[in-house]
Amino acid sequence: MNIFLFQLFLVTILFIDPSAAFTDYLLKKCNQAGFCQRNRHYATNIQSSHNSYYLIDEQSIHIDLDNNNNNSSSLRANIIKTIPRNDIEDIMVELPFKLTFQNDWQSVRFTIDESFDSNTNDDTEAESPLLNKHRYNETGLWSFMNHTDSLNNTPLQFEKFETIQSNLDKFVNFVFQTPDLEQNVIKVYNDINQLEIHLFLDSFQILIFQGEDLILSINDRSLFNFEHHRSMEQNFQNVLPEESTYNMFADDFEYSKGDHVPFGPESIALDFTFNGFNSLYGIPEHADSLRLRDTSNDEPYRLFNVDVFQYNLDSRMPMYGAIPLLLTSNKDKSVGVFWNNPADTWVDIHYTDNGLSQSHIMSEAGIIDVFVFIGEKPSDITDQFTQLTGRPTLPLLSSIGYHQCRWNYNDELDVLNVQENMDREDIPFDFIWLDLEYTDDKKYFTWKPDSFGNPGRMLKKLAKYGRQLAVLIDPHIKTQYHISEEIKRQEAGVLNAGGDLYVGRCWPGDSIWIDTMGKIGQRVWDGFFKDFITVKLPSYIDNLHIWNDMNEPSIFNGPETTAPKDLIHNGGFEERSIHNVYGLTVHETTYDSMKDIYGISDKRPFILTRAFFAGSQRSAATWTGDNIANWDYLKASIPMILSNNIVGMPFIGADIAGFDGNPTPELIIRWYQTGLWYPFFRAHAHIDSIRREPYLLEKPVRDSVRDSIRLRYTLLPTFYSAFHESSINGNAIMKPMFFQYPEHNELYDVDNQFYLGNYGILVKPITSPETFTTTMTFPKGIFYDLTTLKALVVDHLKEVEIDAPIAKIPAFIEGGHILFKREIYRRSSKLMVNDPYTLLVAPTLDNGSASGKLYVDDGETFSYENGEYLETVVSLLAKSILKNDIVHIPVNADCLGNTMIEKIVIAMDSNTMDIGDHATIKIGSETRKIEVEHDDGTTTVIIKNPQVRVNEQWEISFSI
Ligand code: NOJ
């Protein structure tokens, strides 16, 4: 054992690895959840009976053409569900269907609702006067950008149907062919992207082709199931022979706490078959591999926001957040299916031997609202999805620095001590966090008087070094204090099934929940923030940020640790219908309020949310919740974070070095080495764990942790540029291998290494103990070790053994990229803004070229939206010229980005470049000579102090 390992061993004995696990029995399995059991049962039976109960009523087909706005042209029809009955008339249920071909986005949308006016057998209304009997169809108000439905600007509404229009040829981009009634198919064709949809009338099936290729089949396995509303008395005549009636009007799961299921069965389900695709991805959040597993003999993936302290790994069980976007790719095509429904949802996955990926999506309530996205590359899907649901927020620069958190910092002195000790040890950080205990007796919007008597003073002391404070405010509100009284008074709380304010248990004991689904709740919540910050904090501050935790919502005495499904929200909608979007309504309302409060300084708010849904990326960061301080959770953090990154919610991290328990020193080192690549880089620890702020760690653990944090800070310009790119196109920041190289089949299973955005840094963290080498998969090219710049030439995609002693992170920069770094240590990111840059140039093997982008703004305000930013691209051309091309200069603030380049380092391999001893710089009409140093130890070339700035056009020519 070497000395270092021995020291590690000595320190290790102070720590114990926990062995804990989630209490599984609290959560339903599919066969304990009425609608999941029923839909799986139906799926098995319908595939063997080959019956079909759904068809499109030809007479109802109606095509709306809007020549001015292609996105609002649509095809509508009624799907008729027929329930056969012996000797008496069949029951017919009308299900309005609407299809829109959105050619701007290359996407197709369809919705299926239930028509209550015409379905005669529905008398549920009388039974539930408090409830809105219409299915919840307003998800888009939350999941789409701008809070409007992108098609109608109003919640979807289905009108009466007219007969089919003829004379369609004047329509430019779409050709809705007159139905070929002999073949019973309508074909819709878009000549821009060669998409063709075939809608079959007699069995309700949709096929989507691109050119000749069938890409996606919808309902080809006939799993479409729409449990229409009916009363318990009428149920016996409304059930199809293939159906089970399990728990249709009751919920006998032991921990469901008496859900009385007022509407009876109302689930919806549909199957999607991806043709020519071997793998499916997405639908986070699950602690599982990046590539979704075949669930044929297992539990389906469940999307249902719940509090899962010490969650299980390798599991399809639900977690804190849900983004119902399934995506896939092959070497030349990518497809995404967005299931815009926030109810409890299960997804079965099956891969066939002949190259089909099949999925079966089942939701407990609501309408079918599906978007199909088609693109060439997988990133096209993330792009289209975030065009619809909103781009990830461009965060505060400081929020992508290092966050120091723990449950809890006890008082102001404790907070300031942490700050002082971090500074004493030269460890940078930007955020410090206050968990639950800073409040007065767990009453949010208050401070514990003896410990945080003067929060304004504390905030100022932190602000002195550019630091921020985040405090926890959860949506459960202790009963009997002014905040809950106000919620009561304004009728802004969530109601129980009887229409009274719901009272459940959470941290403060008896609590009520703010209902941010509705305008009143939003206004009241906003008022609380204004009072808490603007009124109660005497002098103006803008370094206070908010953490919305437990917003699934977590309810200790609720079914499956969350809200009873029959609670009632604004508009008369049941929790059952909106569950997965509730958390988003909380954090988005918080964000809007903070944005308003900081309107004076125009500062961007920072919000951390635990629960999320499609659209959460617009206003919050998230994290993977209550993990455990052991190696398995470190390893699991990578596919979990990758999964969120590919569905448009890249600002995510995992608690470093494990929330629950006490990590070993070796685990701490490796976790920081991994965590520095998480888009959200935060250390956090459970209240019962031993204090482990970096400065408390024994040497050499402390040194190693400091190195990792500092590496993140040197790369902040690159991280920030990656965040900026993501805020424009939704791109992943921590990016899976197959996203970078979809043409390589071998990369589709790799989820233990990743790229940093489009910046060419390839990393494979060490996630197992006593591991000092690793096998990394490289595509063809040249890769320079990020620290030594030693070149590794890879002639074809292959695995390479890489050394990873304890102080080393296997990280490379791929030939073809240029990185912007800042190498001077400062206490926080704010203090770095005028620091000079170092350019790290990594030429390609073949023609010695490279390029890299830098985005700079003030890192704090929204002024970038008015053009106050600098964007520049540095390129190396033909091994001989390095030049800076300004893409955008700030409109007014010319000092922005007026920063020197202090060093240019060119990584070289004898094959890539051969540079002489001097170079010529040209800036405008001025030309001068500069020295070029060769580092004989490596093949690196260094230009020190070239006297150029990032915000000016310059060109360096090398002599050969
Ligand atoms: C649960 C969160 O997941 C955890 O991070 C936090 O420390 C506790 N709530 C206490 O607020």
Side-chain angles (χ1 to χ4, degrees):
M1 192 185 281
N2 69 28
I3 292 233
F4 181 76
L5 283 178
F6 181 67
Q7 282 171 315
L8 271 184
F9 171 75
L10 283 184
V11 198
T12 302
I13 51 176
L14 288 173
F15 296 80
I16 312 147
D17 247 349
S19 58
F22 180 73
T23 34
D24 293 56
Y25 60 86
L26 290 176
L27 293 180
K28 285 175 182 166
K29 299 275 183 295
C30 175
N31 63 10
Q32 296 168 313
F35 77 98
C36 190
Q37 192 275 2
R38 296 197 299 270
N39 278 293
R40 266 192 163 182
H41 177 95
Y42 182 73
T44 311
N45 290 347
I46 199 81
Q47 289 183 96
S48 45
S49 78
H50 300 291
N51 284 333
S52 166
Y53 299 99
Y54 296 90
L55 54 77
I56 290 183
D57 171 12
E58 282 163 25
Q59 298 309 312
S60 70
I61 299 170
H62 173 82
I63 295 174
D64 280 327
L65 298 180
D66 181 346
N67 289 330
N68 300 321
N69 179 2
N70 289 338
N71 281 342
S72 65
S73 295
S74 60
L75 179 151
R76 302 175 203 217
N78 281 341
I79 297 173
I80 305 295
K81 174 179 182 181
T82 306
I83 298 113
R85 291 195 293 176
N86 289 339
D87 304 332
I88 39 171
E89 208 187 327
D90 295 344
I91 290 182
M92 317 272 256
V93 182
E94 202 173 275
L95 307 171
F97 166 78
K98 181 176 177 185
L99 173 85
T100 322
F101 203 171
Q102 300 182 277
N103 71 317
D104 302 358
W105 301 348
Q106 309 202 333
S107 72
V108 177
R109 178 189 192 180
F110 62 90
T111 52
I112 307 174
D113 200 345
E114 178 170 8
S115 164
F116 291 94
D117 304 336
S118 45
N119 294 341
T120 47
N121 65 338
D122 178 64
D123 63 358
T124 45
E125 185 180 28
E127 292 168 19
S128 318
L130 295 166
L131 294 176
N132 187 330
K133 77 167 186 162
H134 286 273
R135 287 172 176 263
Y136 183 66
N137 66 358
E138 298 179 5
T139 314
L141 298 183
W142 294 104
S143 57
F144 301 164
M145 203 167 60
N146 297 334
H147 287 197
T148 55
D149 185 293
S150 71
L151 290 183
N152 300 316
N153 293 330
T154 58
L156 295 171
Q157 298 204 332
F158 295 95
E159 293 153 21
K160 285 278 168 207
F161 303 97
E162 294 160 27
T163 45
I164 186 156
Q165 287 183 346
S166 53
N167 202 2
L168 309 174
D169 4 326
K170 63 179 165 51
F171 194 55
V172 213
N173 292 319
F174 305 103
V175 183
F176 285 93
Q177 288 180 355
T178 318
D180 177 345
L181 296 179
E182 245 168 52
Q183 285 191 16
N184 271 328
V185 63
I186 299 182
K187 294 183 181 170
V188 187
Y189 178 70
N190 178 328
D191 58 6
I192 292 180
N193 57 17
Q194 310 292 304
L195 278 193
E196 194 167 321
I197 301 181
H198 295 185
L199 174 64
F200 291 87
L201 305 184
D202 53 5
S203 57
F204 178 62
Q205 204 189 105
I206 303 176
L207 302 181
I208 301 182
F209 295 82
Q210 190 166 41
E212 300 284 287
D213 301 334
L214 172 63
I215 295 180
L216 185 69
S217 316
I218 300 167
N219 198 31
D220 69 322
R221 291 191 287 155
S222 301
L223 311 190
F224 173 47
N225 185 23
F226 203 108
E227 293 185 329
H228 60 282
H229 281 171
R230 79 288 298 260
S231 67
M232 205 187 310
E233 294 70 40
Q234 293 165 334
N235 193 33
F236 71 98
Q237 52 185 359
N238 278 269
V239 176
L240 295 168
E242 287 80 0
E243 283 186 286
S244 132
T245 55
Y246 173 65
N247 272 359
M248 276 187 160
F249 290 86
D251 181 350
D252 66 6
F253 180 61
E254 192 180 349
Y255 300 98
S256 281
K257 320 258 162 122
D259 175 5
H260 74 291
V261 199
F263 286 122
E266 53 174 339
S267 80
I268 47 172
L270 194 54
D271 58 284
F272 299 84
T273 298
F274 300 79
N275 225 294
F277 299 91
N278 298 321
S279 310
L280 291 171
Y281 301 87
I283 56 167
E285 186 179 24
H286 300 100
D288 207 4
S289 54
L290 177 64
R291 179 182 191 260
L292 301 174
R293 290 173 208 276
D294 191 313
T295 59
S296 310
N297 299 314
D298 209 336
E299 284 294 292
Y301 286 89
R302 186 175 180 196
L303 293 167
F304 185 59
N305 294 356
V306 272
D307 184 352
V308 280
F309 177 65
Q310 298 175 338
Y311 49 84
N312 295 340
L313 298 181
D314 301 322
S315 161
R316 268 63 67 209
M317 77 189 231
M319 296 189 65
Y320 311 95
I323 302 184
L325 172 68
L326 259 181
L327 58 83
T328 185
S329 177
N330 61 26
K331 64 180 175 16
D332 43 33
K333 277 194 184 52
S334 299
V335 188
V337 166
F338 172 40
W339 180 264
N340 186 31
N341 183 310
D344 189 359
T345 296
W346 303 73
V347 184
D348 261 321
I349 303 289
H350 178 59
Y351 300 114
T352 69
D353 296 338
N354 58 342
L356 302 179
S357 292
Q358 301 177 320
S359 63
H360 177 206
I361 312 185
M362 313 160 245
S363 287
E364 185 170 14
I367 63 165
I368 290 187
D369 185 2
V370 170
F371 287 79
V372 177
F373 305 109
I374 314 250
E376 271 174 41
K377 306 184 294 306
S379 54
D380 294 343
I381 305 303
T382 321
D383 186 5
Q384 291 177 43
F385 176 66
T386 55
Q387 186 168 357
L388 173 71
T389 58
R391 304 301 191 185
T393 178
L394 176 64
L396 282 174
L397 175 61
S398 53
S399 70
I400 66 168
Y402 173 63
H403 297 249
Q404 185 59 51
C405 185
R406 127 162 226 108
W407 179 15
N408 217 84
Y409 292 121
N410 302 323
D411 51 27
E412 180 178 338
L413 194 63
D414 196 2
V415 169
L416 297 175
N417 266 334
V418 172
Q419 159 154 278
E420 202 180 306
N421 283 312
M422 292 290 277
D423 289 345
R424 204 196 52 233
E425 284 295 328
D426 296 339
I427 304 170
F429 79 98
D430 268 87
F431 267 67
I432 187 156
W433 290 63
L434 290 179
D435 204 324
L436 192 55
E437 319 298 332
Y438 79 95
T439 58
D440 181 11
D441 207 14
K442 304 191 173 57
K443 292 184 278 206
Y444 303 117
F445 304 103
T446 67
W447 301 82
K448 191 183 273 173
D450 297 342
S451 314
F452 295 97
N454 194 342
R457 176 180 62 200
M458 179 174 66
L459 282 158
K460 272 204 193 118
K461 288 191 177 165
L462 291 168
K464 193 168 160 209
Y465 300 110
R467 289 192 173 122
Q468 320 287 315
L469 178 74
V471 299
L472 179 115
I473 291 189
D474 294 353
H476 56 258
I477 303 294
K478 187 179 170 92
T479 52
Q480 294 179 351
Y481 81 108
H482 68 280
I483 296 283
S484 39
E485 290 307 315
E486 184 65 7
I487 293 177
K488 228 192 264 176
R489 202 178 64 78
Q490 300 248 25
E491 300 183 356
V494 179
L495 306 179
N496 64 24
D500 298 322
L501 196 58
Y502 171 73
V503 180
R505 293 188 73 77
C506 204
W507 297 124
D510 279 353
S511 307
I512 59 173
W513 274 260
I514 183 78
D515 187 10
T516 36
M517 298 289 306
K519 288 269 173 289
I520 301 177
Q522 290 158 25
R523 217 176 39 236
V524 169
W525 195 242
D526 174 56
F528 294 157
F529 279 98
K530 296 215 162 120
D531 182 60
F532 180 57
I533 297 176
T534 323
V535 179
K536 298 273 171 52
L537 284 172
S539 54
Y540 179 68
I541 43 93
D542 67 2
N543 58 337
L544 180 62
H545 304 278
I546 306 297
W547 175 10
N548 288 150
D549 191 14
M550 314 291 275
N551 53 341
E552 296 75 26
S554 170
I555 302 183
F556 296 161
N557 60 340
E560 304 191 82
T561 71
T562 186
K565 285 183 169 168
D566 53 11
L567 296 190
I568 305 172
H569 289 266
N570 179 268
F573 292 109
E574 274 196 289
E575 174 77 21
R576 186 183 329 276
S577 303
I578 62 89
H579 178 81
N580 287 344
V581 85
Y582 172 75
L584 182 154
T585 72
V586 173
H587 76 72
E588 194 147 286
T589 308
T590 304
Y591 176 89
D592 288 345
S593 187
M594 292 301 288
K595 191 169 174 193
D596 212 23
I597 291 169
Y598 286 164
I600 315 174
S601 64
D602 198 30
K603 188 155 168 174
R604 298 170 221 166
F606 171 82
I607 312 292
L608 182 73
T609 177
R610 196 171 69 176
F612 54 83
F613 187 67
S616 282
Q617 71 274 7
R618 294 185 303 256
S619 55
T622 191
W623 86 110
T624 63
D626 297 344
N627 57 9
I628 302 179
N630 71 37
W631 291 94
D632 295 336
Y633 285 80
L634 167 59
K635 191 165 174 208
S637 71
I638 299 174
M640 289 181 77
I641 291 174
L642 289 174
S643 269
N644 266 57
N645 268 260
I646 62 175
V647 298
M649 179 125 196
F651 201 6
I652 174 171
D655 285 348
I656 302 165
F659 176 64
D660 191 40
N662 297 305
T664 62
E666 188 189 4
L667 179 60
I668 293 179
I669 292 176
R670 292 305 199 185
W671 209 317
Y672 273 91
Q673 290 178 350
T674 309
L676 85 94
W677 306 103
Y678 298 160
F680 175 55
F681 181 28
R682 184 183 77 153
H684 184 35
H686 190 276
I687 197 164
D688 296 332
S689 62
I690 301 168
R691 292 282 286 241
R692 52 168 122 115
E693 288 66 31
Y695 55 85
L696 293 174
L697 304 171
E698 300 286 331
K699 259 173 173 295
V701 185
R702 192 192 329 153
D703 295 340
S704 170
V705 167
R706 182 195 295 107
D707 288 348
S708 292
I709 298 176
R710 284 214 195 168
L711 177 56
R712 170 68 168 228
Y713 276 82
T714 62
L715 291 171
L716 272 191
T718 296
F719 268 93
Y720 195 56
S721 301
F723 269 94
H724 171 252
E725 240 179 275
S726 183
S727 76
I728 291 195
N729 57 20
N731 256 209
I733 291 169
M734 200 162 136
K735 188 181 185 190
M737 300 298 289
F738 83 92
F739 254 60
Q740 185 79 7
Y741 290 108
E743 64 272 31
H744 290 307
N745 264 335
E746 300 85 336
L747 298 179
Y748 279 76
D749 264 340
V750 178
D751 61 7
N752 54 8
Q753 60 177 69
F754 50 83
Y755 278 95
L756 168 59
N758 294 327
Y759 290 79
I761 301 181
L762 177 61
V763 190
K764 176 159 188 213
I766 302 297
T767 55
S768 49
E770 293 173 37
T771 303
F772 306 111
T773 60
T774 189
T775 309
M776 228 171 136
T777 307
F778 290 89
K780 180 173 186 249
I782 181 164
F783 293 82
Y784 305 89
D785 182 298
L786 193 61
T787 335
T788 63
L789 298 185
K790 193 163 171 280
L792 169 75
V793 176
V794 183
D795 51 5
H796 62 275
L797 184 135
K798 65 174 177 206
E799 294 187 336
V800 180
E801 184 95 344
I802 301 294
D803 277 347
I806 190 75
K808 171 108 187 141
I809 311 165
F812 292 81
I813 166 158
E814 184 171 3
H817 295 272
I818 298 179
L819 295 183
F820 286 81
K821 299 168 72 182
R822 274 186 159 142
E823 296 190 322
I824 303 170
Y825 156 74
R826 307 277 178 194
R827 296 168 203 230
S828 73
S829 65
K830 186 165 180 147
L831 305 179
M832 297 170 82
V833 292
N834 296 317
D835 283 351
Y837 292 98
T838 290
L839 293 190
L840 177 52
V841 182
T844 52
L845 192 57
D846 48 359
N847 58 3
S849 63
S851 79
K853 213 188 305 175
L854 175 72
Y855 171 85
V856 186
D857 60 21
D858 65 15
E860 292 201 329
T861 73
F862 287 96
S863 65
Y864 67 89
E865 289 178 347
N866 305 321
E868 298 307 342
Y869 65 90
L870 172 79
E871 195 173 331
T872 189
V873 176
V874 173
S875 324
L876 175 70
L877 307 174
K879 308 183 180 182
S880 55
I881 291 177
L882 185 72
K883 64 183 187 106
N884 191 29
D885 290 309
I886 309 290
V887 179
H888 178 90
I889 49 166
V891 179
N892 291 313
D894 25 329
C895 55
L896 228 177
N898 184 15
T899 318
M900 299 302 287
I901 293 175
E902 65 173 346
K903 204 180 349 163
I904 299 172
V905 179
I906 305 177
M908 293 207 306
D909 171 79
S910 48
N911 298 315
T912 53
M913 290 198 41
D914 184 14
I915 288 177
D917 291 339
H918 65 267
T920 315
I921 293 195
K922 212 168 108 198
I923 309 172
S925 55
E926 181 207 336
T927 309
R928 63 187 150 79
K929 282 218 152 80
I930 42 167
E931 290 296 308
V932 172
E933 283 177 26
H934 287 255
D935 180 340
D936 292 337
T938 64
T939 40
T940 310
V941 162
I942 299 172
I943 303 174
K944 284 197 187 132
N945 203 4
Q947 298 284 335
V948 289
R949 294 173 186 275
V950 288
N951 66 345
E952 63 191 358
Q953 208 86 24
W954 47 258
E955 191 173 304
I956 300 179
S957 317
F958 298 104
S959 66
I960 306 227

